[in-house]
Amino acid sequence: MAALAVVAAAGLIVDDRVLVGAPIWLKPLKFAVSFAAYGLTLAWMLSRHTPPSRTGRWAAHTVVVTGTIEMALITGQTIRGRRSHFNIETPLDRGLFLTMGVTIAVLWVATLVIAVLLFRARLGDRAATWAIRLGLLLALAGLLLGGLMAMPTPEQQAQGALRTLVGAHSVGIPDGGPAMPLTGWNTTGGDLRIPHFVGMHALQALPLFLYAIEALSGRCARLRDERIRVRLVLVAAGFTTALLALVTWQALRGQALIHPDGATLGALAALTAATAAGTFAALRRPGGGTGPGTPSPSATTAEIAETAHPHHPEQELPA
């Protein structure tokens, strides 16, 4: 996938064709990068399952095979100058699109098998274990939400377009309108690729969030407490789940991500406030202490002694 991303990037430079309002090689590039990140993350997660599982290896190989088939079909249609998704105009286009649907369904099942395996294993400390588990669940949800794009739109049903197209990225507008840079998300209507993206990339976001916490623990003693790290991971997972629901709701109402209405902004404000409150609660010392003088269970003996009997040089008297 990394090699294919380089090829697709070169295609953007040397091939000036445009398909559905976007450079024709942009889709292979985005899919290749996404699959590379997906495969690398799953490989890292499975490496933490000791001893290695034969079932996990077979599930991983299934992800590789189905992902390779998906990318071969997308790239092949790009070379032909044809849409890879939603295109049923000719028998060949229909067959390729149905094949992609089957491969993604099999990939989802393989990912579910990996999730079940990792839910039954200890993958490090509790914070790391839950970051991996919850990231997998959100990725599975994001993959499922991608199925919304394969459903016929009301416009297609009304206009009889099901003979050439079935499904769309956009809600309320045709595919191919004004779009955001790089992502290609619509700026004038709803876009179902957004919840698909948010859910799938929670797979990387939650473990990376935990790594950031662990990196900060050198400066913040409170973050060295495993229970606090677990709480923060749960808050982050709750935020991501609610954000996934919010952007799905926004897209289904035909609303562009960058043009939220009052209801969307109100829901986002409530989510932000709830996350801030959850973060504050998570950072409280286990047992209810909030002050800097409350030692954590991971503190050293010297740190605890210093907390209990602080040293004040100004109180020392000369001999």
Side-chain angles (χ1 to χ4, degrees):
M1 293 302 167
L4 182 57
V6 174
V7 172
L12 286 174
I13 299 172
V14 303
D15 190 343
D16 59 0
R17 289 180 296 167
V18 174
L19 184 64
V20 198
I24 198 168
W25 283 96
L26 183 59
K27 175 175 283 189
L29 175 61
K30 291 192 296 184
F31 270 72
V33 172
S34 180
F35 268 122
Y38 191 74
L40 183 63
T41 308
L42 287 182
W44 169 76
M45 289 178 173
L46 282 168
S47 72
R48 301 176 70 92
H49 186 285
T50 52
S53 164
R54 177 178 297 180
T55 303
R57 281 198 298 270
W58 276 105
H61 294 161
T62 301
V63 169
V64 170
V65 171
T66 53
T68 302
I69 294 172
E70 181 84 1
M71 284 306 305
L73 297 179
I74 291 173
T75 306
Q77 287 291 73
T78 298
I79 294 171
R80 295 179 66 226
R82 307 284 293 177
R83 294 185 67 169
S84 56
H85 288 77
F86 320 126
N87 183 8
I88 57 171
E89 186 174 359
T90 68
L92 176 59
D93 292 330
R94 180 190 296 269
L96 294 178
F97 181 48
L98 290 175
T99 301
M100 285 193 292
V102 172
T103 58
I104 287 300
V106 175
L107 183 146
W108 188 90
V109 172
T111 305
L112 176 63
V113 170
I114 292 173
V116 171
L117 287 174
L118 297 185
F119 257 82
R120 298 172 59 186
R122 187 68 180 265
L123 308 170
D125 65 12
R126 289 193 303 141
T129 298
W130 281 108
I132 291 172
R133 290 173 175 175
L134 296 175
L136 275 165
L137 288 182
L138 285 164
L140 287 168
L143 280 168
L144 276 181
L145 288 172
L148 294 173
M149 292 183 273
M151 299 175 63
T153 67
E155 293 77 16
Q156 289 171 349
Q157 294 173 330
Q159 298 171 8
L162 295 180
R163 289 171 294 184
T164 58
L165 292 173
V166 55
H169 299 142
S170 307
V171 179
I173 59 171
D175 285 345
M180 297 172 61
L182 188 62
T183 63
W185 297 338
N186 288 321
T187 58
T188 56
D191 199 319
L192 293 169
R193 290 173 293 184
I194 298 171
H196 183 57
F197 176 91
V198 171
M200 281 196 62
H201 291 288
L203 189 72
Q204 294 90 33
L206 288 182
L208 287 174
F209 172 74
L210 178 60
Y211 272 129
I213 293 174
E214 292 175 343
L216 290 172
S217 65
R219 297 186 176 183
C220 180
R222 186 167 299 188
L223 296 179
R224 298 172 199 160
D225 192 303
E226 182 183 6
R227 287 171 289 183
I228 288 179
R229 293 198 303 274
V230 172
R231 293 175 184 175
L232 289 173
V233 167
L234 294 178
V235 170
F239 168 80
T240 307
T241 303
L243 181 64
L244 177 60
L246 177 58
V247 295
T248 303
W249 177 56
Q250 183 183 21
L252 289 173
R253 289 185 294 134
Q255 185 180 117
L257 179 70
I258 61 174
H259 298 297
D261 61 9
T264 302
L265 289 174
L268 180 60
L271 173 57
T272 302
T275 303
T279 302
F280 177 78
L283 289 171
R284 292 175 62 88
R285 291 287 188 185
T290 58
T294 306
S296 70
S298 59
T300 64
T301 303
E303 290 171 334
I304 295 174
E306 175 64 19
T307 302
H309 304 287
H311 179 66
H312 298 289
E314 68 274 15
Q315 294 180 0
E316 294 182 357
L317 299 177

